[in-house]
């Protein structure tokens, strides 16, 4: 079996591979290969264009993959933030429904009526973005920054931030207060590489833990 997970950018890919390295290796030993693929936007990074591509182009790609590769599961995993990209959504459920609707429209346009294909598409998200996981890894974040405490505070649970102040904004402010600049393609991986995915999942039960449980139960 193969699981292809499509995310917005390279920072998501590298961070997830680092955080989930143990689980990815365990599944590989069981004959299940898990790969992350970044969908790059116009500016070659995460953000509005990358999310738009993930919501519009990846369902088309998913149909082709699932149709042609019977042993492959496709996962689409965007950020919840920013809201209302491509279609109206502010919640996890609204985002999932919109992606599934796009996927079903592709199936209909190709006149594919096999319901088993729908079972091999899964949708998850980062709430509100990848940096929620960094806030959940506070001790690892402090270790990388070389500080004993952080002057910036945030809402707990970490997935309860909002669209006005998403986790990435908070992480950027933390780095600034510590005299650094947050580089998501480097720092997210560094921090999450020394974190335990089980602990992060425990602190992120709304969006990240269901994703982890899906992988664990493959």
């Amino acid at each position: 079996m193969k699981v292809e997970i499509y995310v917005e950018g390279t920072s998501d890919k590298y961070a997830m591979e680092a955080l989930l390295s143990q689980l990815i290796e365990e599944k590989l030993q069981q004959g299940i290969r898990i790969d992350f693929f970044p969908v790059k936007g116009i500016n070659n990074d995460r953000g509005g264009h990358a999310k738009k591509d993930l919501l519009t182009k990846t369902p088309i790609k998913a149909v082709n993959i699932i149709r042609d590769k019977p042993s492959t599961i496709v996962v689409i995993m965007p950020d919840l933030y920013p809201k209302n990209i491509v279609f109206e959504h502010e919640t996890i459920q609204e985002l999932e429904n919109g992606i599934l609707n796009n996927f079903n429209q592709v199936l209909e346009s190709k006149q594919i009526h096999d319901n088993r294909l729908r079972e091999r598409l899964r949708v998850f998200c980062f709430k509100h973005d990848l940096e929620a996981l960094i806030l959940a890894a506070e001790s690892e974040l402090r270790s990388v920054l070389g500080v004993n405490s952080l002057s910036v505070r945030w809402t707990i649970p970490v997935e309860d931030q909002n669209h006005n102040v998403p986790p990435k904004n908070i992480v950027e402010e933390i780095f600034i207060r510590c005299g650094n600049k947050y580089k998501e393609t480097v720092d997210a991986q560094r921090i999450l590489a020394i974190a335990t995915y089980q602990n992060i999942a425990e602190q992120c039960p709304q969006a990240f833990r269901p994703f982890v449980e899906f992988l664990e139960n493959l």
Side-chain angles (χ1 to χ4, degrees):
M1 178 189 292
K2 184 175 182 181
V3 182
E4 297 188 5
I5 304 169
Y6 290 85
V7 292
E8 289 188 23
T10 53
S11 59
D12 302 306
K13 168 183 167 65
Y14 297 148
M16 286 297 94
E17 289 175 342
L19 177 61
L20 299 172
S21 59
Q22 175 189 347
L23 180 56
I24 291 171
E25 180 59 30
E26 289 175 359
K27 290 301 173 181
L28 187 60
Q29 296 302 317
Q30 298 170 16
I32 302 170
R33 182 181 179 89
I34 299 171
D35 290 314
F36 287 85
F37 298 93
V39 176
K40 296 182 180 180
I42 293 173
N43 296 320
N44 251 10
D45 58 9
R46 291 195 308 126
H49 293 303
K51 181 173 181 177
K52 180 179 179 181
D53 287 350
L54 194 58
L55 300 188
T56 58
K57 297 179 181 179
T58 309
I60 300 172
K61 185 181 184 71
V63 168
N64 294 333
I65 293 170
I66 293 170
R67 178 191 60 194
D68 298 337
K69 301 177 181 178
S71 62
T72 298
I73 296 173
V74 173
V75 175
I76 300 178
M77 192 172 183
D79 292 351
L80 182 59
Y81 175 87
K83 63 183 179 181
N84 300 329
I85 297 295
V86 179
F87 49 81
E88 290 189 7
H89 64 274
E90 293 189 32
T91 67
I92 294 173
Q93 191 60 58
E94 289 170 345
L95 177 59
E96 178 180 350
N97 290 344
I99 293 173
L100 293 175
N101 182 57
N102 287 351
F103 180 78
N104 288 331
Q105 287 181 3
V106 177
L107 288 178
E108 291 175 7
S109 69
K110 293 179 177 290
Q111 297 185 340
I112 299 173
H113 306 291
D114 188 345
N115 288 330
R116 291 174 298 178
L117 269 64
R118 292 181 173 87
E119 297 171 359
R120 288 193 285 120
L121 175 74
R122 299 298 300 270
V123 178
F124 298 95
C125 74
F126 297 106
K127 186 175 184 283
H128 291 76
D129 50 36
L130 170 72
E131 283 73 18
L133 310 187
I134 294 176
L135 296 181
E138 182 178 351
S139 62
E140 291 82 6
L141 172 59
R142 286 190 278 104
S143 176
V144 167
L145 289 171
V147 298
N148 294 322
S149 62
L150 301 172
S151 60
V152 178
R153 303 314 304 164
W154 53 86
T155 301
I156 300 295
V158 295
E159 289 181 316
D160 278 350
Q161 310 312 311
N162 58 60
H163 286 285
N164 295 321
V165 186
K168 183 178 179 181
N169 289 16
I170 299 170
V171 171
E172 288 175 336
E173 178 64 20
I174 290 171
F175 270 72
I176 290 172
R177 295 274 188 98
C178 294
N180 294 281
K181 179 178 174 59
Y182 175 60
K183 299 177 182 177
E184 59 191 73
T185 54
V186 176
D187 293 319
Q189 180 182 7
R190 288 176 62 207
I191 295 163
L192 294 179
I194 57 175
T196 304
Y197 81 83
Q198 294 95 332
N199 291 341
I200 303 300
E202 188 66 25
Q203 296 183 65
C204 300
Q206 299 172 32
F208 187 64
R209 187 164 67 192
F211 170 66
V212 168
E213 291 174 346
F214 159 73
L215 294 179
E216 289 177 332
N217 293 327
L218 288 171

